[in-house]
Amino acid sequence: MSLSLPSLSAMPEGRAARLLVLAAVFVCAACGLVYELALVTLGSYLLGNSIAQTSLVIAVSMFAMGVGAVLAKPLTARPLRAFVGVEIALAAVGGASVPALYASFAWLHLYTPMMLVVTFLIGALVGAEIPLLMELLQRLRRQQASLAVADINAVDYVGALIGGLAFPFLLLPTLGLLVGTVATAALNVIAAWMVGVALAGARRQRGLVTAVCGVLAVALGLTAVTADSFELNARQALYRDPIIHSQRSAYQDIVVTRGAPVGPEFDDVRLFLDGDLQFSSLDEYRYHEMLVHPAMNGTHQRVLILGGGDGLAAREVLRYQSVSSVTLVDLDPAVVSLARSFEPVSSLTSGSLEDPRLTYVSDDAFSWVRDYSGAPFDVVIADFPDPDSTALAKLYSVENYSMIARLLAPSGRMVVQAGSPFFAPDAFWSVRHTLAEAGWRTTPYQADVPSFGNWGYVLASRDGSAPELALDDEAPGGLRYASDAVLAAASSFPPDRAERPTSVTTLLDPAILDYARKGWVGY
């Protein structure tokens, strides 16, 4: 493509051209930041390590922008042609970035290397934009370099602000990650077309720009139209059993799978949040019976459940007739709605979420505990996801456990699901040590949950000695796993998983996060 600039002066036509170029700067800045945020978000969705993903994307992007700026130097001889080419390339790479990375994660298992390549390409193309746009501005009207830089930077930073706000509050909630990124790429195409058509000197050149931009626009449109089917196929590749429900809530990716039924006892319904298994209908009763019933040994009129939006812990609690109230605090109302209305899941809850004794609060557990000023609870059940992100690690901190203590009646108990003593022993024992640091007396114990493997809990109280592992006299009949005999053995740990020294977790030093990430190695 050979594009040349017409002769423009500082007359009204020249001012209009400058405004058009500055508008392109604005669009480019907004789009560039959206691409970075999209890569960070996708990595957080798929891998869960938001700090590492953010650091990698920002570091590689900044480095690549510098490389792109240097590589753009020889292109400034023909800035219009180069800018149109860069924008078209950026639209193609940016628009394909999310589906390409999702595919590499689902089918190729090469997410991180591909992410680094895509991030570098986007960063280099974004870095080439400013030198080319600067040259365009100078050719339209020669001015002092510092003034031109000031104009470019002012518009660039405003564009970044708009892009940064538009991504979480407009693009992500309305279009989703994949289509939102494609829509962003369409803005790059529009910027290339408007600048190319307005400043190109010949009709043939304008027609060529229009044709190329039109072809790319059609390709982006087809990508957007097929986004749902692509995402469904890619997501299915990540799960063993057929997906029967999937949605992206404001907080996480929610997937329910169902295995082929072999009989009434083998209808394997599984709930996954951000790819992590939350339960299997085959053996979830083992997990929830061992989580709930040891903590119910004693006064249990008022019960607080933190997490547990699937309603299964609440099901076990509400089997006690003397329970007068249950407060369930879970961040994501979409999970609670699913457990209430989606039959494969709601059939497991025994109507717990509709029980008049239960009150659901949609809130962050940490914030809710900090602000709570009501009557104390007899039992607190902390049914949090594993601490594999900074947002979750704070729930396992000294500060959170200390705040929960204020909510507890003098003779009350708390139980914390603490991960696997076998697969992640450091994380498990760190929970006990963190509770002890916050002033709790603790009794660690374990259970065999086949879909999870060996799983652990910590029962804790504030007064007296460590709480006893036993069933309450009012414990309901028909328990399928928890029993006095099982509980008597549950606190024994083999020598290879015996208690070990670990650091405690605080808000500023989330040691459990590192322990959780290093667990499960080789399994």
Side-chain angles (χ1 to χ4, degrees):
M1 189 192 316
S2 178
L3 298 174
S4 60
L5 279 169
S7 177
L8 293 172
S9 65
M11 301 299 291
E13 296 83 358
R15 288 197 293 271
R18 281 178 57 81
L19 289 175
L20 179 62
V21 172
L22 289 173
V25 174
F26 176 89
V27 170
C28 292
C31 293
L33 189 56
V34 167
Y35 292 138
E36 287 188 23
L37 293 173
L39 294 174
V40 169
T41 302
L42 180 63
S44 299
Y45 284 174
L46 300 179
L47 303 180
N49 190 346
S50 58
I51 292 178
Q53 293 302 308
T54 302
S55 299
L56 283 173
V57 169
I58 291 178
V60 174
S61 292
M62 297 299 290
F63 168 71
M65 288 171 66
V67 173
V70 172
L71 294 178
K73 285 182 177 182
L75 302 179
T76 56
R78 294 186 176 182
L80 181 57
R81 180 178 67 177
F83 173 74
V84 171
V86 165
E87 286 305 286
I88 290 172
L90 183 57
V93 176
S97 60
V98 170
L101 289 175
Y102 201 175
S104 71
F105 179 82
W107 288 297
L108 303 178
H109 307 291
L110 292 172
Y111 178 81
T112 298
M114 283 291 293
M115 182 272 290
L116 295 175
V117 171
V118 170
T119 301
F120 182 86
L121 289 175
I122 290 176
L125 291 168
V126 170
E129 289 174 327
I130 294 301
L132 299 174
L133 289 167
M134 174 74 78
E135 183 65 21
L136 281 173
L137 279 180
Q138 289 292 70
R139 292 201 183 187
L140 291 169
R141 189 185 71 190
R142 186 66 58 181
Q143 65 180 129
Q144 185 177 334
S146 60
L147 299 179
V149 169
D151 289 341
I152 290 266
N153 282 348
V155 177
D156 184 73
Y157 294 149
V158 173
L161 170 67
I162 299 302
L165 294 175
F167 179 76
F169 299 116
L170 178 62
L171 290 177
L172 204 55
T174 59
L175 298 179
L177 185 59
L178 197 157
V179 178
T181 309
V182 171
T184 302
L187 292 179
N188 284 121
V189 175
I190 292 172
W193 178 75
M194 291 185 66
V195 172
V197 168
L199 301 185
R203 179 180 298 179
R204 183 177 62 84
Q205 295 165 342
R206 292 194 294 269
L208 182 58
V209 170
T210 300
V212 173
C213 290
V215 169
L216 184 53
V218 170
L220 292 173
L222 290 174
T223 302
V225 168
T226 59
D228 287 342
S229 60
F230 167 81
E231 188 172 0
L232 179 62
N233 291 329
R235 182 183 285 118
Q236 182 61 73
L238 302 174
Y239 298 93
R240 181 192 66 185
D241 298 322
I243 294 173
I244 58 175
H245 177 86
S246 66
Q247 70 181 99
R248 179 73 212 175
S249 75
Y251 303 100
Q252 56 200 339
D253 195 41
I254 304 170
V255 170
V256 181
T257 68
R258 183 178 233 159
V262 183
E265 295 296 320
F266 298 97
D267 187 16
D268 188 4
V269 175
R270 297 182 174 223
L271 172 66
F272 297 84
L273 300 180
D274 282 342
D276 293 331
L277 177 64
Q278 303 304 301
F279 69 77
S280 163
S281 60
L282 292 178
D283 55 24
E284 57 80 13
Y285 66 88
R286 288 183 167 221
Y287 171 89
H288 290 101
E289 286 183 9
M290 292 295 280
L291 173 72
V292 170
H293 295 291
M296 298 294 283
N297 181 26
T299 305
H300 48 248
Q301 277 72 32
R302 289 176 48 79
V303 178
L304 170 64
I305 302 175
L306 301 173
D310 53 33
L312 300 179
R315 176 197 66 199
E316 296 300 317
V317 169
L318 291 167
R319 295 174 72 177
Y320 291 78
Q321 296 302 313
S322 60
V323 169
S324 60
S325 70
V326 177
T327 301
L328 173 64
V329 181
D330 191 276
L331 178 63
D332 195 346
V335 174
V336 177
S337 177
L338 177 79
R340 280 175 169 163
S341 60
F342 188 56
E343 190 277 335
V345 178
S346 63
S347 63
L348 302 172
T349 67
S350 300
S352 64
L353 296 173
E354 307 300 334
D355 192 295
R357 292 175 289 172
L358 184 139
T359 300
Y360 166 58
V361 179
S362 175
D363 201 352
D364 173 71
F366 186 91
S367 300
W368 187 89
V369 167
R370 181 185 57 197
D371 298 335
Y372 181 76
S373 58
F377 295 95
D378 301 306
V379 179
V380 176
I381 297 170
D383 190 15
F384 298 130
D386 290 345
D388 56 5
S389 71
T390 51
L392 293 171
K394 71 179 181 181
L395 301 174
Y396 293 80
S397 66
V398 170
E399 292 85 349
N400 194 42
Y401 293 146
S402 298
M403 292 191 299
I404 291 175
R406 296 188 292 102
L407 280 58
L408 202 66
S411 60
R413 287 87 53 213
M414 175 171 68
V415 64
V416 179
Q417 91 79 13
S420 175
F422 182 83
F423 297 106
D426 289 333
F428 174 80
W429 292 111
S430 179
V431 172
R432 182 185 191 179
H433 299 153
T434 301
L435 282 163
E437 181 72 14
W440 295 80
R441 278 75 172 175
T442 63
T443 301
Y445 63 103
Q446 58 187 319
D448 180 31
V449 185
S451 61
F452 287 163
N454 175 250
W455 212 255
Y457 315 83
V458 180
L459 183 62
S461 63
R462 296 289 293 182
D463 297 321
S465 58
E468 177 188 6
L469 279 180
L471 295 178
D472 189 76
D473 292 339
E474 193 201 341
L479 297 181
R480 293 191 283 170
Y481 185 79
S483 68
D484 287 325
V486 168
L487 291 175
S491 60
S492 296
F493 292 85
D496 65 343
R497 291 300 182 268
E499 186 167 1
R500 60 187 65 189
T502 63
S503 300
V504 302
T505 289
T506 66
L507 291 179
L508 296 181
D509 185 14
I512 197 170
L513 181 60
D514 189 50
Y515 291 144
R517 289 173 179 168
K518 289 179 178 178
W520 301 88
V521 174
Y523 296 98

